[in-house]
Amino acid sequence: MVILGIETTCDETAAALVERTDEGRGRILSNIVLSQLSEHAPYGGVVPEIAARAHVEALDHIIANAMGEAQCNFDSIDGVAAAAGPGLIGGVIVGLTTAKAIALVTEKPLIAVNHLEAHALTARLTDGIAFPYCLFLASGGHTQIVAVRGVGNYVRLGTTVDDAIGEAFDKTAKLLGLGYPGGPQVELEAKAGNPARFQLPRPMLGKPNADFSLSGLKTALRLEAERIAPISDPDVRDLCASFQQAVVDVVADRLRMGLKLFREQCGDPTGLVAAGGVAANAAIRKVLHRLSFEGGTQLVLPPAALCTDNGAMIAWAGAERLALGLIDTLDTPPHARWPLSDLAARATPRRKAG
Ligand code: KG4
Ligand code: ZN
């Protein structure tokens, strides 16, 4: 089966064609991502109204390019999937409405995909990993440890009680006068800095749950920066290195706890899987390697281009759902908020795909 996937929940306009074989193997036929970075950079963050308008302008062309590159046409696809949330509602409406229009005209099934589920299932597209596995999802908007037990079957083991990890990187960068998005900039500065110079807190360390908290760390960093102001370039490097080290220590501790909770609730995982933009950070990747080794499980790290937002993950999640007969009607609503736990209710087939 071949599925068209559309992603417009944040600041990337993306479309892709993905094939799924009867045995459940995946193949990306095309994967086109247009980043709106330059349009939001002057504001130091994503401006929802600018994002929605940019999706409207770009999406038709991006879909046409994806179809062309995959040598597909609307007759040759088996369904159209769009991210129906969670995300910035204006953008979600653009992608979902476009998918509905295509589904209506071509009489192909519509699959309304949860963006988080798409991140969660990407490792099955890239590595064919079997259920159940432990997912560490860390992006600009989400920080979660999830037991992925099946399509539509997720148990959230931990989440952030305040900021997402990517958001904390972005705010740190902003505070220190680095560019947007902040993660890559902070990582670059940290490489040449001293991680032991500033004593920053490790929030939640040792807590018996697998939750995260980042806002106290961010505040502590701001107070240190104010204490030594005006800050020099070496100060920025040391602040970034100390911040990143604190995050790495927190991730190690929280994931260790997450894997323990996983084993208690679901048995041995088939692997530890990372997703989201933060998984591009080399120091985080290093600690993930250590944790999977320690925990006696394999680490699955999809390529960075599939860890960040893209259309292939939406198409793949659509294919996984369609293969189970899980399709949606044309009155399916867009969602600004849509926790993975709400998917369980949808996980019973409504009607078989035609
Ligand atoms: O998954 P993603 O592309 O978009 C969503 O948020 O959905 O993740 C973007 C986030 C941003 O907060 C960015 O600063 C962070 O991932 N990020 C990083 C790195 N690259 C991207 N954080 C730390 N280190 C990086 N190298
Ligand atoms: Zn995402």
Side-chain angles (χ1 to χ4, degrees):
M1 104 186 18
V2 174
I3 302 292
L4 166 66
I6 297 171
E7 159 60 37
T8 54
T9 62
C10 191
D11 59 346
E12 268 99 18
T13 313
L17 275 301
V18 169
E19 183 182 44
R20 183 186 185 277
T21 65
D22 289 343
E23 299 80 49
R25 301 298 302 188
R27 190 162 70 95
I28 297 174
L29 306 179
S30 65
N31 188 24
I32 305 212
V33 181
L34 177 71
S35 170
Q36 304 173 357
L37 214 62
S38 57
E39 290 171 68
H40 301 289
Y43 305 95
V46 178
V47 183
E49 184 61 26
I50 293 178
R53 284 167 191 269
H55 288 307
V56 171
E57 275 166 29
L59 186 56
D60 288 358
H61 307 291
I62 298 288
I63 293 173
N65 287 350
M67 295 292 263
E69 204 172 283
Q71 298 183 328
C72 284
N73 56 46
F74 288 123
D75 286 335
S76 64
I77 63 171
D78 299 289
V80 49
L88 300 173
I89 196 68
V92 176
I93 290 171
V94 174
L96 183 59
T97 308
T98 304
K100 285 178 180 177
I102 295 170
L104 182 66
V105 171
T106 61
E107 298 184 351
K108 306 276 170 154
L110 169 77
I111 307 105
V113 168
N114 179 297
H115 179 94
L116 301 176
E117 175 168 54
H119 275 305
L121 297 176
T122 301
R124 290 170 54 78
L125 165 64
T126 57
D127 294 77
I129 186 172
F131 300 118
Y133 51 88
C134 184
L135 172 76
F136 174 53
L137 171 61
S139 68
H142 305 280
T143 298
Q144 300 192 357
I145 301 174
V146 179
V148 182
R149 309 175 80 161
V151 174
N153 187 353
Y154 308 96
V155 180
R156 198 175 72 185
L157 301 169
T159 187
T160 178
V161 298
D162 40 57
D163 294 347
I165 298 180
E167 188 181 359
F169 269 94
D170 293 337
K171 287 179 176 171
T172 295
K174 199 168 185 178
L175 175 84
L176 299 176
L178 305 170
Y180 172 84
Q185 314 272 352
V186 171
E187 180 177 12
L188 195 66
E189 296 291 327
K191 274 204 179 88
N194 172 8
R197 177 166 160 207
F198 297 99
Q199 300 306 308
L200 297 174
R202 270 71 172 152
M204 307 300 251
L205 217 68
K207 284 260 161 62
N209 57 35
D211 287 339
F212 292 79
S213 168
L214 277 304
S215 78
L217 173 57
K218 178 192 67 190
T219 307
L221 180 99
R222 179 171 56 73
L223 294 176
E224 285 297 319
E226 286 171 5
R227 188 175 61 78
I228 60 163
I231 51 175
S232 64
D233 288 350
D235 292 337
V236 169
R237 292 197 280 272
D238 293 345
L239 282 163
C240 286
S242 302
F243 167 81
Q244 184 173 279
Q245 188 57 51
V247 173
V248 164
D249 291 349
V250 167
V251 167
D253 179 73
R254 305 291 68 208
L255 264 177
R256 211 171 271 130
M257 191 53 76
L259 283 165
K260 180 169 175 279
L261 295 177
F262 188 106
R263 287 205 160 86
E264 284 168 13
Q265 295 179 29
C266 316
D268 280 342
T270 55
L272 173 63
V273 171
V278 176
N281 182 293
I284 304 252
R285 291 173 92 96
K286 201 167 144 196
V287 82
L288 293 176
H289 277 288
R290 202 179 74 215
L291 278 167
S292 62
F293 180 75
E294 244 179 60
T297 191
Q298 64 165 329
L299 178 65
V300 177
L301 269 177
L306 295 174
C307 278
T308 54
D309 292 350
N310 64 87
M313 69 179 193
I314 305 297
W316 174 254
E320 292 244 57
R321 294 190 76 86
L322 181 57
L324 296 172
L326 299 168
I327 64 171
D328 294 275
T329 49
L330 291 177
D331 59 356
T332 296
H335 307 263
R337 279 182 44 76
W338 189 6
L340 272 178
S341 49
D342 285 6
L343 285 180
R346 296 171 77 237
T348 34
R350 290 173 185 173
R351 76 181 160 92
K352 281 279 169 210

